[in-house]
């Protein structure tokens, strides 16, 4: 009996250990990236498709799922995909930016492996190599809460991903030649919705989505464009905002919402009107001497009748429109009572009570260097090199390629004095930092930070100074990964640099990104421990000078 009891106990211990060590579920995807003819504005162009689709396949997953995506590059060019908004905890190796990874060469494949750790929300992926963002290759990443975590709204009847953005009819290779030649790509030619353009009263247009009367639907919007902020609205249907970039929001009702480049949000729309067709309208914002728009048909099941050509009025433009948009930003608040993946599950993460250890004040600029257009941050216009900076760090070869901290923490030089060089900033591990984006130009900006979410605490017109901190929202600012900065205005965000790795801070205006308006934060753990950062993956391709170098000693626990 004693031996039997011991055996049972041992078995139970083994089972409990197995449960403790059990991994979160894995989701596997196989993607073939190819060229294909697309015509978002009616002009046939060579675009980039994933599994023959634009938008590409959707990654529909749950918080903490492990995502495995085997990408086959059938293009004639190197390729990288980034996962905009996925924080890649301890894993900048999978981030898909030229500073962190060697590209997937033509005719080869690479398997991305990452976890959507402690996240929920609406995100998207897109290519970061060359000017591929202008060719398509985008798709949705929908991260749901775990089954036992209550969501602050009833399950919708269905979820719809809506990708909106500007489009150019020149084609991405022609646009690249223009930028390489030192000129701007100029204004876009139109607006697309999920890769299509529809005019009001188009008799042959098919409905984009269908709703049943009396039911509520979740629309996940993302602006995947090159440079243009847009406004989205539904004919006859208000929107209830429920999520912005991974944070549940206070559920305010809006007739229209501004959506800036690189940003995503979710709204609930209830089919409570006369059963017929209605328009979803997407129109450009803050484009001088141009107003671009597109519509999509939203059809009621068993409805009768076309959509009315009487469209809801867009918000104001110019100075009045900027004030309108800033006020809308201020109305966005974090839902502190909702359960979700967040810095503290109970919603008591008092970021406003943490002492700031470092302030970065970043000013964007546009200028010419040797007669060619360049964009810069604090006077440094970033360029990539043949060896990704993360690999150079890992192999101890940084002195061959770049110097840290060429860019000062605070802007101190002439806006027209620009240095073209790799822009790598040292960030102290686990420091709580404040980043000020000051825009002295006449065009709107949007910035994104890989590897993190941050608290978007303020946007105001004018110039920033330390006394402006008294106007920060230190209670319920949205925890997100991107922030817009209006002309002649500033924006402030706060975050803890607790994710070891190399992380891209970039303009989401891709012309500006391509010509230097970006930097990388190097956040190294002094412990060189697997508790803080993963080792270089076995399948990670090597390129540049590190190819053939002896492997460094791996991190240990």
């Amino acid at each position: 009996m004693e031996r039997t009891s011991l055996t049972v106990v041992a078995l139970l211990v083994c089972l409990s250990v197995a449960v403790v060590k059990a991994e979160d579920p894995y989701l596997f995807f196989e993607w073939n990236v190819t060229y294909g003819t697309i015509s978002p504005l009616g002009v046939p162009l060579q675009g980039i498709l994933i599994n023959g689709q634009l938008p590409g396949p959707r990654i529909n997953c749950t918080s903490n799922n492990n995502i495995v995506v085997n990408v086959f590059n059938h293009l004639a060019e190197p390729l990288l995909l980034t996962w905009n908004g996925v924080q890649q905890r301890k894993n900048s190796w999978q981030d898909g930016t030229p500073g962190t990874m060697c590209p997937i060469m033509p005719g080869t494949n690479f398997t991305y492996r990452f976890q959507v750790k402690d996240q929920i929300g609406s995100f998207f992926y897109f290519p970061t190599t060359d000017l591929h963002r202008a060719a398509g290759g985008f798709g949705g990443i929908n991260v749901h809460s775990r089954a036992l975590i209550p969501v602050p709204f009833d399950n919708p009847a269905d979820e719809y991903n809506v990708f909106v953005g500007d489009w150019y009819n020149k084609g991405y290779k022609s646009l690249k030649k223009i930028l390489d030649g030192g000129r701007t790509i100029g204004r876009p030619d139109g607006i697309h919705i999920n890769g299509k353009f529809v005019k009001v009263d188009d008799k042959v247009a098919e409905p984009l989505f269908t709703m049943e009367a009396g039911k509520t639907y979740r629309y996940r919007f993302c602006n995947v464009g090159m440079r243009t902020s847009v406004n989205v609205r539904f004919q006859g249907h208000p929107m209830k905002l429920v999520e912005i970039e991974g944070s549940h929001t206070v559920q305010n009702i809006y007739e229209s919402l501004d959506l800036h480049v690189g940003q995503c949000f979710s709204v609930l729309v209830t089919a409570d009107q006369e059963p017929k067709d209605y328009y979803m309208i997407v129109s450009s914002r803050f484009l001088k001497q141009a107003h671009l728009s597109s519509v999509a048909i939203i059809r009621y099941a068993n409805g009768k009748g076309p959509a009315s050509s009487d469209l809801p009025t867009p918000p104001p433009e110019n100075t009045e429109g900027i004030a309108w948009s800033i006020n809308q930003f201020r109305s966005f608040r974090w839902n502190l009572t909702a359960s979700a993946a967040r810095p503290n599950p109970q919603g008591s993460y008092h970021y406003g009570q943490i002492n700031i250890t470092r302030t970065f004040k970043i000013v964007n600029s546009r200028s010419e260097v040797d007669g060619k257009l360049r964009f810069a941050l604090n006077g440094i216009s970033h360029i990539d090199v043949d060896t990704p900076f993360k690999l150079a760090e890992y192999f101890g070869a940084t002195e061959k390629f770049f110097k840290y901290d060429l860019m000062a923490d605070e802007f101190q030089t002439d806006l027209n004095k620009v240095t073209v060089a790799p822009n790598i900033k040292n960030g102290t591990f686990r420091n709580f930092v404040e980043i000020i984006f000051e825009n002295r130009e006449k065009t709107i900006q949007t910035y994104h930070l890989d590897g993190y979410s941050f608290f978007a605490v303020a946007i105001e017109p004018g110039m920033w100074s330390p006394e402006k901190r008294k106007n920060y929202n230190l209670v319920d600012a949205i925890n997100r990964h991107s922030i817009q900065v209006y002309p002649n205005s500033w924006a402030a965000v706060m975050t803890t640099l607790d994710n070891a790795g190399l992380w891209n801070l970039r303009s989401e205006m891709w012309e500006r990104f391509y010509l230097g308006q970006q930097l990388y934060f190097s956040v190294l753990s002094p412990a060189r421990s697997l508790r803080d950062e993963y080792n270089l993956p076995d399948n990670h391709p090597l390129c540049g000078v590190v190819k053939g170098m002896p492997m460094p000693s791996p991190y240990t626990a």
Side-chain angles (χ1 to χ4, degrees), residues 361-381:
K361 182 181 176 184
I362 298 175
V363 180
N364 53 278
S365 63
R366 169 180 175 151
S367 58
E368 288 191 357
V369 177
D370 297 330
K372 291 189 174 183
L373 178 66
R374 296 297 301 184
F375 297 96
L377 298 174
N378 286 6
I380 306 297
S381 184

Side-chain angles (χ1 to χ4, degrees), residues 27 46 56 67 76 79 81 111 138 172-173 190 198 248 275 304 338 424 432 443 447 450 454 466 545:
L27 300 180
Q46 185 186 62
I67 311 300
L79 172 73
L81 294 173
T111 302
F138 55 79
Y172 77 98
K173 292 181 180 179
V198 174
H248 291 308
K304 296 181 180 179
I424 316 295
F432 187 71
T443 55
Y447 291 96
D450 279 349
F454 48 61
V545 300

Side-chain angles (χ1 to χ4, degrees), residues 17-220:
V17 170
V19 170
V20 169
K21 290 186 176 181
E23 289 190 86
D24 289 289
Y26 278 76
L27 300 180
F28 295 89
F29 302 87
E30 183 173 298
W31 291 357
N32 288 282
V33 183
T34 62
Y35 297 118
T37 301
I38 58 175
S39 51
L41 303 183
V43 177
L45 297 168
Q46 185 186 62
I48 293 176
L49 307 178
I50 300 179
N51 291 354
Q53 307 170 34
L54 184 72
R58 181 172 64 184
I59 296 178
N60 209 34
C61 57
T62 299
S63 178
N64 287 5
N65 280 175
N66 294 284
I67 311 300
V68 181
V69 187
N70 193 359
V71 177
F72 290 82
N73 180 13
H74 299 285
L75 307 180
E77 310 158 77
L79 172 73
L80 279 175
L81 294 173
T82 196
W83 319 92
N84 208 60
V86 176
Q87 292 178 22
Q88 306 287 5
R89 302 298 298 179
K90 306 194 296 184
N91 198 18
S92 62
W93 304 112
Q94 308 292 319
D95 198 37
T97 57
T100 59
M101 296 180 63
C102 300
I104 309 169
M105 299 306 291
T108 68
N109 70 298
F110 175 77
T111 302
Y112 289 91
R113 295 181 175 91
F114 58 89
Q115 186 178 24
V116 284
K117 180 69 174 172
D118 296 331
Q119 287 190 264
I120 57 98
S122 306
F123 312 106
F124 68 97
Y125 59 84
F126 68 93
T128 57
T129 33
D130 282 334
L131 216 62
H132 290 154
R133 180 160 172 162
F138 55 79
I141 307 171
N142 299 350
V143 188
H144 299 267
S145 293
R146 291 180 173 190
L148 296 179
I149 304 297
V151 175
F153 50 87
D154 293 336
N155 287 333
D158 207 342
E159 291 190 348
Y160 297 132
N161 285 81
V162 188
F163 302 100
V164 300
D166 53 18
W167 192 263
Y168 291 78
N169 283 332
K170 291 185 178 69
Y172 77 98
K173 292 181 180 179
S174 296
L175 294 175
K176 182 179 183 298
K177 287 181 181 178
I178 292 170
L179 293 180
D180 290 342
R183 296 175 291 127
T184 177
I185 58 176
R187 294 188 183 91
D189 295 299
I191 299 288
H192 74 86
I193 303 175
N194 281 10
K196 297 178 180 179
F197 170 75
V198 174
K199 293 181 179 179
V200 173
D201 292 333
D202 187 332
K203 304 300 183 185
V204 298
E206 294 294 322
L208 185 62
F209 302 116
T210 300
M211 303 195 296
E212 293 185 27
K215 294 185 178 181
T216 298
Y217 295 80
R218 181 175 185 172
Y219 288 82
R220 297 178 185 256

Side-chain angles (χ1 to χ4, degrees), residues 183-477:
R183 296 175 291 127
T184 177
I185 58 176
R187 294 188 183 91
D189 295 299
I191 299 288
H192 74 86
I193 303 175
N194 281 10
K196 297 178 180 179
F197 170 75
V198 174
K199 293 181 179 179
V200 173
D201 292 333
D202 187 332
K203 304 300 183 185
V204 298
E206 294 294 322
L208 185 62
F209 302 116
T210 300
M211 303 195 296
E212 293 185 27
K215 294 185 178 181
T216 298
Y217 295 80
R218 181 175 185 172
Y219 288 82
R220 297 178 185 256
F221 284 91
C222 291
N223 186 335
V224 297
M226 292 284 286
R227 63 178 294 176
T228 307
S229 298
V230 298
N231 180 268
V232 300
R233 52 202 184 276
F234 287 82
Q235 195 176 48
H237 294 74
M239 298 173 287
K240 179 185 289 186
L241 183 68
V242 295
E243 176 252 335
I244 294 178
E245 297 175 6
S247 290
H248 291 308
T249 62
V250 173
Q251 296 179 12
N252 296 325
I253 304 297
Y254 298 89
E255 296 298 324
S256 71
L257 283 162
D258 280 354
L259 182 60
H260 306 281
V261 181
Q263 297 184 352
C264 299
F265 59 61
S266 291
V267 297
L268 298 180
V269 176
T270 300
D272 56 3
Q273 300 298 308
E274 177 189 352
K276 65 183 190 71
D277 288 353
Y278 294 88
Y279 285 126
M280 172 200 296
I281 305 100
V282 179
S283 56
S284 62
R285 294 286 276 152
F286 315 121
L287 275 184
K288 290 185 177 180
Q289 301 173 341
H291 181 76
L292 307 173
S293 65
S294 181
V295 299
I297 296 172
I298 308 299
R299 176 161 293 172
Y300 274 60
N302 302 316
K304 296 181 180 179
S308 168
S309 58
D310 184 16
L311 302 183
T313 304
E317 288 286 343
N318 302 321
T319 304
E320 183 184 355
I322 291 173
W324 183 96
S325 196
I326 290 177
N327 284 334
Q328 185 172 88
F329 163 83
R330 290 172 179 163
S331 74
F332 300 154
R333 300 296 174 122
W334 203 17
N335 187 342
L336 298 180
T337 64
S339 298
R342 58 168 66 190
N344 182 306
Q346 282 69 46
S348 58
Y349 186 70
H350 300 303
Y351 65 93
Q353 298 176 16
I354 303 175
N355 291 329
I356 297 167
T357 54
R358 191 173 179 185
T359 296
F360 300 93
K361 182 181 176 184
I362 298 175
V363 180
N364 53 278
S365 63
R366 169 180 175 151
S367 58
E368 288 191 357
V369 177
D370 297 330
K372 291 189 174 183
L373 178 66
R374 296 297 301 184
F375 297 96
L377 298 174
N378 286 6
I380 306 297
S381 184
H382 175 82
I383 54 171
D384 291 310
V385 295
D386 290 340
T387 303
F389 309 113
K390 179 60 180 172
L391 285 176
E393 275 190 339
Y394 193 73
F395 280 84
T398 56
E399 70 282 352
K400 298 178 183 292
F401 302 106
F402 64 89
K403 295 180 180 179
Y404 291 101
D405 298 320
L406 279 183
M407 188 190 89
D409 283 9
E410 295 198 30
F411 181 72
Q412 298 170 338
T413 59
D414 182 354
L415 279 171
N416 294 314
K417 186 178 179 181
V418 172
T419 299
V420 179
N423 194 358
I424 316 295
K425 289 290 291 180
N426 267 315
T428 304
F429 188 48
R430 294 185 176 142
N431 267 14
F432 187 71
V433 302
E434 170 189 51
I435 305 175
I436 311 299
F437 299 100
E438 193 171 274
N439 179 17
R440 302 179 186 177
E441 297 186 60
K442 296 180 180 179
T443 55
I444 193 169
Q445 312 287 320
T446 309
Y447 291 96
H448 163 87
L449 177 58
D450 279 349
Y452 298 92
S453 58
F454 48 61
F455 297 97
V457 296
I459 292 178
E460 287 189 2
M463 308 265 286
W464 183 86
S465 58
E467 60 267 20
K468 298 291 187 180
R469 292 188 179 119
K470 68 179 184 295
N471 297 331
Y472 287 4
N473 175 2
L474 298 180
V475 178
D476 58 357

